[in-house]
Structures are given as C-alpha cells and as structure tokens.
C-alpha cells in the first residue's frame, strides 16, 4: 500500500487505496475543556479524599424499635386488619407482648425469627410510649 500525500482544499488529507482520508483538527475549545476537567479531577482526588471514601457502617439507631414497628406492625395494626396497639402495654405484660411478637397469635404470624432479642426489646420499649 502506497500512501500518497496530497493537499486538497487547504486541509491535510491522505489518499490510501484511492480513499481520501481528511485530518481535521480538534477544536481549541474542546482541548481546553479536556485539560480543565483533567486538572479538576486530579485536584478533587487529592484535596477531597473523604468524598471518595466509602461511608462506614451506620451506628446502632436509637429509634430501631420505631423503625421495626412502622415497617412491620403498622401495615396491619393501623389499617383495622388487627387490633390497635395504643396502650397495649397497659393491657398485656411485657412477657406476653414479646411472646406474641416471637410466636404469633390468632391471625398474627410469628415474626420472632426476623429479629434479635435486642430488637424485640426495642419494639417493646417503643410500645410503652405508643399512645
């Protein structure tokens, strides 16, 4: 393959196997944008290392009982499909409430296998204040 270099229309071009290949210049604005972005990326990586780090695992939450209650219990107990739990700690003992959570009762399924003892304790503590 023989390359022939010819000038056509004041643009650089190669003719390879009778195919004209033009060489267009990259616009100066595009080159400037490339360098600005590259410099910004290097500066960001150097001066903002905390932003690139992965967040540590969340600390234990104080409102864990409330989160479990709202995510698991309220879907039935707030819709009328199950009894209202307001004041339940006045009607039942702590042990009875924890047993119902763990083993279920009537139409309520057992959900004790989903949560640890500590999480069930947090739910009970939340129920004490649920009015």
């Amino acid at each position: 393959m023989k390359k022939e270099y010819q000038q056509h229309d004041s643009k650089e071009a190669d003719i390879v196997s009778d195919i004209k290949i033009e060489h267009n210049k990259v616009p100066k604005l595009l080159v400037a944008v490339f360098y600005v972005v590259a410099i910004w990326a290097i500066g960001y990586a150097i001066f903002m290392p905390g932003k690139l780090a992965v967040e540590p695992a969340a600390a234990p939450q104080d409102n864990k009982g409330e989160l479990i209650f709202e995510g698991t219990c309220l879907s039935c107990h707030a819709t009328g499909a199950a009894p209202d739990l307001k004041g339940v700690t006045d009607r039942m003992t702590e042990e009875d409430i924890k047993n119902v959570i763990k083993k279920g009762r009537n139409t309520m399924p057992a959900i004790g296998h989903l949560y640890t003892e500590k999480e069930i304790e947090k739910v009970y503590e939340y129920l004490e204040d649920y009015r």
Side-chain angles (χ1 to χ4, degrees), residues 97-118:
I97 292 172
K98 289 181 180 179
N99 279 334
V100 170
I101 292 171
K102 292 176 190 175
K103 299 176 183 174
R105 183 171 83 176
N106 298 333
T107 58
M108 180 177 161
I111 58 172
H113 64 283
L114 300 175
Y115 302 107
T116 65
E117 284 292 326
K118 190 169 188 167

Side-chain angles (χ1 to χ4, degrees), residues 21-35:
I21 302 172
E22 293 186 357
H23 303 285
N24 295 325
K25 291 185 178 181
V26 178
K28 290 180 181 180
L29 178 64
L30 188 59
V31 172
V33 168
F34 171 78
Y35 284 115

Side-chain angles (χ1 to χ4, degrees), residues 49-103:
K51 299 289 184 185
L52 298 176
V54 176
E55 292 290 324
Q61 299 171 346
D62 292 335
N63 63 343
K64 184 75 171 179
E66 179 182 3
L67 294 174
I68 293 171
F69 180 77
E70 289 177 354
T72 305
C73 307
L74 280 183
S75 59
C76 295
H77 288 280
T79 61
D84 189 6
L85 294 178
K86 291 180 181 172
V88 70
T89 56
D90 296 335
R91 301 187 303 266
M92 295 175 69
T93 66
E94 177 179 352
E95 192 62 35
D96 289 341
I97 292 172
K98 289 181 180 179
N99 279 334
V100 170
I101 292 171
K102 292 176 190 175
K103 299 176 183 174

